[in-house]
Amino acid sequence: MKGSHKILIIGGVATGPKAAARTRRLLPEAEITIIERGGLVSYGGCGLPFYLSGLVPDLRQLVSTNAGLVRDTDFFLREKNVRVLTRTLAESIDRENRRVAVVDLPTGERRWLDYDRLVLATGAEPVVPAIEGINHWRNVFTLHHPDDAVRIRELIKSKQVRQAVVIGAGLIGLEVADALAGQRIKVTVVEIKDQILPNMLDDDMAVILRREIEQRKVEVLTATRVTALDGDAEGKVRRVSTTRGELEADLVVVACGVKPNVSLAQAAGLALGRTGAIYVNEYLQTSDPVIYAGGDCVENMHLVSREMIYLPLASTANKHGRVIGDNLAGRRERFGGVLGTSALQAFDQNTGRTGLGEQEACRLGYRVVTAVTPSTDCAHYYPMHSGLMVKLVAEAGSGRLLGAQVLGEGEAIKRLDVLATAITFGGTLDTIAKLDLGYAPPFATAIDVAAHAANTARNKAAGLAEGIPVAKVSERLAGGKDVVLLDVRQPEEVEDRGIRDGRVLHIPLGELRQRMREVPRDKEIITLCELGVRGYEAVRILSGAGFPDVKFMDGGLAAWQDTPNSP
Ligand SMILES: Cc1cc2nc3c(=O)[nH]c(=O)nc-3n(C[C@H](O)[C@H](O)[C@H](O)COP(=O)(O)OP(=O)(O)OC[C@H]3O[C@@H](n4cnc5c(N)ncnc54)[C@H](O)[C@@H]3O)c2cc1C
């Protein structure tokens, strides 16, 4: 491309290096320079929680290729013919003269760098809420850069940390909490919203994950605001005041989300979007067509809602980098948008979501049908099977899948990816139920849980059975409603675990036809079993026998949450 050979990239972690590498492959002659204010480039930030936990023992693993080569300035010059200027801050953009003012941070030396095309890959920075003392005491960290992880790990190694408070129960907050709890540190997670993972899970799924976390002796305080941090004479943090009382802490990790780094773009007069991140078109061009932007500093279009959203993820940042590289080489590549597919592993649970959540879909005006379906990730007789839960959110009527959430010790993310793919290609409950997925006992059940969940939702949509969420069942019990909870499990299962309440009637499914007279016809009947399947069958039996008001508990006891009525 004549006239576009001088390419300047600001930001050297995910988007920047990816854009540089792609451009280099397509434009062997281009002069490519990355400007990075930090000392490291191209590191795996997503691996930081695993370095913190000790699972990744050496930080160099996060900056190395899979062949063991360290991705430093020499590597980029030697392997990619890309010049990387670390500890160099881009201070301003002179769009008229197509140049960027940079300062070499160690020496303070300033100069201009010219560009034909500029890429903004300036990422995001952690949000630090205005809490009294938050910037004052030592041992209060965010986890964003490898330096943060090194400091936290050194503190843990020094055996000075017995109790930690994590502020924020988002993706990073929970990963950090897990990493700390695994090192025998007493951890409390404080979340201002009324559920954990508020931007990721619906409340019914969040409750299940919370139960798993609490079972591992980690305290979770939701709907709780941190009001102040206090410390000792040595300047170290010691106490965290919240709206629900005081917590002792030798370490505080602030995980309250990130905000896009837009100051350079804003000062240069580039347009910001509705979310406050940099506006880009589908070619990832900013409002100045010779300036591209991608990764955590830009907003994206949600492929289901068609709304602009801000959801900073490495998966998106890397794709952006590649698309930008293509466009720098003149290929006119589009970046369509995102489904917001995100995943995390914490407390032995694989958790993920894609597309819209139920509450979000309702807010957008969709009429939805949902299914919460527990199952095993492979044949129940296969020794290594584990449980998992799938929630589907589909549009009532068309059956179009709008979103999915998964959770469990089992292979949940495989299902998430299948469902993300289905949404991308306009999949409906009908097509998902009939997907030709791979099956052998070590990998799945003969009808995979994703298809099973689709069938449950189809049954509901077809009026074959009405489900009721566990939260509603709890409400009915707590509110003293005269309902019958018909537990159709085997006696030994009931002994093991169940809902202890006088309104529970136990009739195993195999005896239901003979003992139907014991079930009152004039009351609301809610059937339940462990996973929901037998509960559904019981609904069919009772409905067929003319019972007017029968529902099954969505997700069965596997989705049951701890309430005063639960065991
Ligand atoms: C602990 C943690 C866990 C994560 N886990 C996941 C995960 O599991 N999955 C997932 O998809 N995502 C995850 N993420 C998010 C992911 O790391 C980011 O989405 C990704 O790093 C974004 O890449 P980026 O290049 O756009 O921005 P960044 O990684 O933020 O890099 C931008 C760089 O630009 C530099 N810069 C900014 N302004 C200037 C300037 N004026 N001059 C010079 N340099 C500048 C910054 O110093 C920074 O190094 C995680 C993030 C963290 C912190």
Side-chain angles (χ1 to χ4, degrees), residues 189-235:
V189 181
V190 184
E191 167 59 51
I192 196 165
K193 300 251 176 76
D194 56 8
Q195 66 164 81
I196 61 168
L197 292 178
N199 298 324
M200 192 168 171
L201 295 182
D202 285 329
D203 51 6
D204 50 355
M205 296 293 276
V207 156
I208 301 168
L209 180 61
R210 179 182 180 147
R211 187 178 63 199
E212 294 292 337
I213 296 172
E214 288 173 337
Q215 274 171 6
R216 286 159 179 81
K217 306 276 176 269
V218 168
E219 189 180 14
V220 179
L221 301 175
T222 47
T224 306
R225 180 193 289 270
V226 172
T227 52
L229 305 187
D230 201 1
D232 61 16
E234 289 177 48

Side-chain angles (χ1 to χ4, degrees), residues 11 13-15 36-37 45-46 88 90 121-124 143 172 295-296 313-315:
V13 179
T15 315
E36 169 55 53
R37 66 183 169 195
C46 311
T88 303
T122 49
L143 180 64
I172 294 175
D296 282 9
L313 287 170
S315 45

Side-chain angles (χ1 to χ4, degrees), residues 7-12 15-21 23 32-36 82-83 90 115 117-121 324 328:
I7 292 161
L8 209 53
I9 298 171
I10 305 175
T15 315
K18 182 61 83 184
T23 311
I32 306 172
T33 305
I34 297 177
I35 303 164
E36 169 55 53
V82 169
R83 186 167 63 132
Y115 64 83
R117 296 285 183 271
L118 178 65
V119 178
L120 300 180
I324 290 172
L328 289 171

Side-chain angles (χ1 to χ4, degrees), residues 426-461:
T428 62
L429 294 173
D430 196 35
T431 53
I432 293 160
K434 292 169 191 150
L435 279 174
D436 189 10
L437 300 174
Y439 165 66
F443 306 120
T445 48
I447 291 187
D448 187 72
V449 56
H452 184 36
N455 279 328
T456 307
R458 287 166 83 212
N459 286 338
K460 282 175 153 188

Side-chain angles (χ1 to χ4, degrees), residues 117-431:
R117 296 285 183 271
L118 178 65
V119 178
L120 300 180
T122 49
E125 62 192 70
V127 171
V128 178
I131 294 169
E132 189 190 324
I134 203 162
N135 293 315
H136 180 74
W137 304 105
R138 293 212 313 274
N139 303 342
V140 178
F141 302 93
T142 54
L143 180 64
H144 190 70
H145 190 271
D147 291 347
D148 305 324
V150 169
R151 285 192 205 107
I152 300 172
R153 200 157 131 171
E154 274 170 5
L155 185 68
I156 295 169
K157 274 194 188 155
S158 72
K159 306 266 180 243
Q160 291 176 48
V161 184
R162 284 181 308 110
Q163 307 180 76
V165 170
V166 177
I167 308 178
L171 188 146
I172 294 175
L174 293 189
E175 285 184 344
V176 168
D178 185 30
L180 299 177
Q183 296 173 77
R184 296 173 182 217
I185 295 169
K186 181 178 178 303
V187 181
T188 305
V189 181
V190 184
E191 167 59 51
I192 196 165
K193 300 251 176 76
D194 56 8
Q195 66 164 81
I196 61 168
L197 292 178
N199 298 324
M200 192 168 171
L201 295 182
D202 285 329
D203 51 6
D204 50 355
M205 296 293 276
V207 156
I208 301 168
L209 180 61
R210 179 182 180 147
R211 187 178 63 199
E212 294 292 337
I213 296 172
E214 288 173 337
Q215 274 171 6
R216 286 159 179 81
K217 306 276 176 269
V218 168
E219 189 180 14
V220 179
L221 301 175
T222 47
T224 306
R225 180 193 289 270
V226 172
T227 52
L229 305 187
D230 201 1
D232 61 16
E234 289 177 48
K236 294 177 184 164
V237 72
R238 287 290 173 230
R239 267 171 311 284
V240 175
S241 302
T242 78
T243 45
R244 292 230 241 149
E246 287 206 342
L247 301 163
E248 290 189 13
D250 319 298
L251 162 68
V252 173
V253 180
V254 182
C256 298
V258 295
K259 57 179 183 221
N261 271 327
V262 297
S263 51
L264 259 186
Q266 204 170 16
L270 298 175
L272 301 187
R274 192 181 67 86
T275 65
I278 300 172
Y279 159 84
V280 283
N281 66 15
E282 57 189 340
Y283 301 101
L284 301 181
Q285 284 164 304
T286 65
S287 50
D288 179 340
V290 301
I291 304 180
Y292 291 78
D296 282 9
C297 61
V298 306
E299 59 181 25
N300 284 285
M301 190 181 66
H302 194 288
L303 288 170
V304 179
S305 70
R306 314 306 284 184
E307 284 188 341
M308 297 312 289
I309 59 161
Y310 180 63
L311 190 61
L313 287 170
S315 45
T316 307
N318 279 281
K319 282 182 287 238
H320 279 176
R322 190 182 158 93
V323 169
I324 290 172
D326 278 334
N327 288 324
L328 289 171
R331 290 165 70 95
R332 299 296 284 165
E333 181 80 4
R334 288 191 170 97
F335 181 80
V338 298
L339 286 175
T341 310
S342 41
L344 85 137
Q345 188 177 65
F347 302 100
D348 305 320
Q349 301 295 304
N350 301 312
T351 306
R353 80 76 74 53
T354 184
L356 301 178
E358 181 179 357
Q359 285 125 35
E360 209 178 355
C362 293
R363 177 182 61 77
L364 289 164
Y366 286 101
R367 228 165 32 83
V368 299
V369 54
T370 65
V372 178
T373 304
S375 183
T376 51
D377 61 349
C378 60
H380 66 274
Y381 52 79
Y382 190 73
M384 274 80 84
H385 73 270
S386 295
L388 63 91
M389 183 88 67
V390 171
K391 175 170 183 174
L392 299 185
V393 181
E395 187 179 32
S398 72
R400 180 168 70 108
L401 188 65
L402 302 173
Q405 292 164 43
V406 297
L407 172 60
E409 272 187 43
E411 277 272 16
I413 305 308
K414 164 178 152 175
R415 278 68 192 196
L416 182 75
D417 286 344
V418 166
L419 294 165
T421 310
I423 297 175
T424 305
F425 294 109
T428 62
L429 294 173
D430 196 35
T431 53

